[in-house]
Amino acid sequence: MPSADRGTTRRWRASSAGSRWRTGHQLLQSGASSLLPRRPATPGNHRGLLPRGLSSAINPEIGCPTFGGHFRDPDLALSIDWGPVRLLRNDRGRFTEVTSQVGLGEQVGRWNGVSAGDFDGNGRPDLVAISWGDNTEYRPTAEAPLELHFGDVDLNGTFDLIEAQRDERLGAAAPLASLGRLAEHIPPVAERMPTRLLYAEADLEEVLGSRPEGRLEATELRHMLFLNRGDRFEAAPLPREAQRAPSLGLLVVDANGDGREDLFLSQNFYATDEDTPRYDAGRGLWLEGEGNGGFRPVPGQESGVAAYGDQRGAAAADVDSDGRLDFVLGMNGGAARLFRGAGNSPGLRVRVAGTAENRYGIGAVLRVVDANGMGPAREVRAGSGTGSHDDPVQILGLSADPVAIEVQWPGGVVERVEIPPGAREVTAGPPGGRNR
């Protein structure tokens, strides 16, 4: 089933709405609260579920878990502020970190979220991670990473954070903040650096008097795609248009109903410090999946999405049950906006009936079966970015008339749900029960 003609019909119609809707008896929620100031992660107690040492690296405000792996014992991917996207392999409820083994350790960044989707249609879960983009004042490289030094520099009982980067003139790292701003927060700096000229020629240790005890770094700030090649992930940046603004919310859905997974990135960040202009170059961006791991940026005049403001969470649902995807976009300091699917092809609504312990079948994986083979794998997930939750009812795009849905339940049991001709909604489950 082809998608709407490009340039003729806007795919979404926008309207203002509250921050919560009910679709049937499911709750759709989009977060719009402001983030806490950026800072290194706070150590947390995860009750021994994660490997030792990992909890101290997870940012509890930004870290966004998503389930993937081989879709049997669902693995866990974590977005890390000042670190790589981390992958924990699940072996019957025991997690082992395999980040380096699968090639994820090389992209050390400031990740704001991570999600999974089958972007090349091979049935394996790929990863997409959102960050700050390349349209900021920061230009980290492998040779000169962005550095975060932390500790109680002036011994006043508070934690100091200092961003720095290698200065080739000095042959060492130098603070990035202005002299006035740094001296305001660490008063002894003003005594050591009485002039801006002296400050401009000083490295980090000379400015602070000593090097702080803690150090983190980031070499990658672009939004990235990690394609699953079976035994490793292959990294590639998202298209240039996606890099123009930070992103704090992410949707993985088939937006235009063509049987290929698409992406939506909420954009912008206004809560910068007084020395930094707000990051406001985005309007919310749809990336149309090409089915091979590539994406086409969809212009706002084609998509109908032009949301000026400080965007946060995003959540998807078919709010009017017409088989077309709708989504809500949370705005920091403003009303959330509901975008109704208009020019998109309708898909198949799949309602998953799980068990008493897992009512909505979270972790189940769905694939459309048609005359051409099988569509991309879609996982039923709980949570989708900053304070957001998609409707568990899945909207699966169709490239041909569907004949069945293949369902792989958590634990690996696979079942097939036959689709009557002309059906627009089916229910899968409960596991081992009667499908309809």
Side-chain angles (χ1 to χ4, degrees):
M1 293 187 178
S3 60
D5 292 338
R6 296 176 182 172
T8 58
T9 304
R10 290 191 176 185
R11 298 181 180 180
W12 287 275
R13 296 192 304 267
S15 62
S16 294
S19 62
R20 298 186 182 184
W21 295 262
R22 286 193 179 273
T23 59
H25 53 272
Q26 319 290 346
L27 179 64
L28 171 67
Q29 180 173 333
S30 173
S33 60
S34 62
L35 292 180
L36 296 178
R38 289 178 287 167
R39 55 183 175 78
T42 302
N45 180 4
H46 295 274
R47 300 183 184 274
L49 296 178
L50 304 182
R52 182 179 298 274
L54 182 62
S55 60
S56 63
I58 300 172
N59 187 320
E61 285 76 42
I62 295 179
C64 174
T66 182
F67 294 91
H70 299 290
F71 292 129
R72 291 186 179 274
D73 290 330
D75 299 334
L76 181 64
L78 294 167
S79 63
I80 303 296
D81 197 6
W82 300 96
V85 172
R86 289 187 164 180
L87 184 65
L88 307 183
R89 182 156 292 163
N90 182 3
D91 182 11
R92 299 180 181 181
R94 296 183 63 87
F95 290 93
T96 303
E97 185 167 8
V98 294
T99 302
S100 298
Q101 295 92 310
V102 298
L104 291 175
E106 298 175 5
Q107 282 72 38
V108 180
R110 299 203 55 195
W111 305 109
N112 293 329
V114 63
S115 193
D118 183 6
F119 302 118
D120 51 10
N122 63 6
R124 292 193 292 259
D126 309 304
L127 296 175
V128 58
I130 50 176
S131 185
W132 294 91
D134 61 10
N135 191 22
T136 71
E137 69 272 31
Y138 300 111
R139 295 291 183 272
T141 66
E143 296 74 24
L146 178 63
E147 301 174 7
L148 181 69
H149 297 264
F150 54 94
D152 186 3
V153 176
D154 50 3
L155 303 178
N156 66 349
T158 62
F159 211 58
D160 302 307
L161 307 177
I162 304 96
E163 288 182 336
Q165 193 169 15
R166 180 178 175 80
D167 187 325
E168 290 300 328
R169 297 180 305 110
L170 305 176
L176 295 179
S178 67
L179 174 58
R181 181 167 176 78
L182 191 60
E184 177 184 357
H185 294 278
I186 307 176
V189 168
E191 300 174 7
R192 293 192 191 90
M193 302 288 133
T195 68
R196 289 182 174 84
L197 179 60
L198 186 61
Y199 180 65
E201 299 300 325
D203 63 25
L204 183 69
E205 285 196 45
E206 292 169 336
V207 169
L208 300 180
S210 63
R211 185 173 292 270
E213 60 187 25
R215 181 181 182 275
L216 297 170
E217 67 177 40
T219 59
E220 182 62 82
L221 296 182
R222 294 174 296 176
H223 313 298
M224 298 290 291
L225 175 70
F226 299 94
L227 291 173
N228 189 338
R229 299 310 189 193
D231 59 349
R232 61 184 176 85
F233 285 91
E234 181 180 293
L238 290 180
R240 180 71 186 87
E241 291 82 350
Q243 309 297 343
R244 293 173 180 167
S247 180
L248 296 169
L250 177 66
L251 294 177
V252 178
V253 291
D254 185 349
N256 58 358
D258 65 354
R260 294 175 288 196
E261 298 289 71
D262 308 311
L263 292 174
F264 176 77
L265 275 64
S266 68
Q267 295 182 304
N268 301 336
F269 186 80
Y270 286 9
T272 57
D273 61 55
E274 58 266 31
D275 294 332
T276 305
R278 68 187 192 184
Y279 305 137
D280 60 359
R283 303 190 298 175
L285 180 65
W286 277 104
L287 298 173
E288 185 180 81
E290 298 174 340
N292 58 3
F295 293 91
R296 181 185 77 91
V298 183
Q301 60 268 30
E302 179 183 336
S303 70
V305 177
Y308 297 94
D310 195 6
Q311 302 167 28
R312 285 295 186 269
D318 179 11
V319 299
D320 49 8
S321 301
D322 67 351
R324 294 180 175 88
L325 182 80
D326 311 303
F327 74 101
V328 61
L329 179 59
M331 307 293 287
N332 185 31
R337 302 188 65 184
L338 173 64
F339 291 85
R340 305 284 289 272
N344 297 320
S345 298
L348 179 69
R349 289 171 50 88
V350 181
R351 192 179 298 272
V352 180
T355 63
E357 296 80 12
N358 184 4
R359 181 178 178 184
Y360 302 125
I362 303 300
V365 180
L366 313 175
R367 299 188 75 179
V368 173
V369 181
D370 58 32
N372 300 323
M374 300 182 70
R378 169 76 64 78
E379 186 181 25
V380 182
R381 291 191 298 273
S384 56
T386 303
S388 305
H389 196 311
D390 294 339
D391 189 344
V393 176
Q394 302 296 308
I395 309 299
L396 301 183
L398 304 173
S399 59
D401 291 333
V403 297
I405 297 290
E406 182 184 278
V407 184
Q408 181 169 301
W409 297 101
V413 174
V414 178
E415 296 181 341
R416 180 181 170 108
V417 181
E418 301 298 327
I419 301 175
R424 286 299 180 184
E425 180 172 333
V426 296
T427 297
R434 178 175 174 266
N435 295 304
R436 56 195 186 279

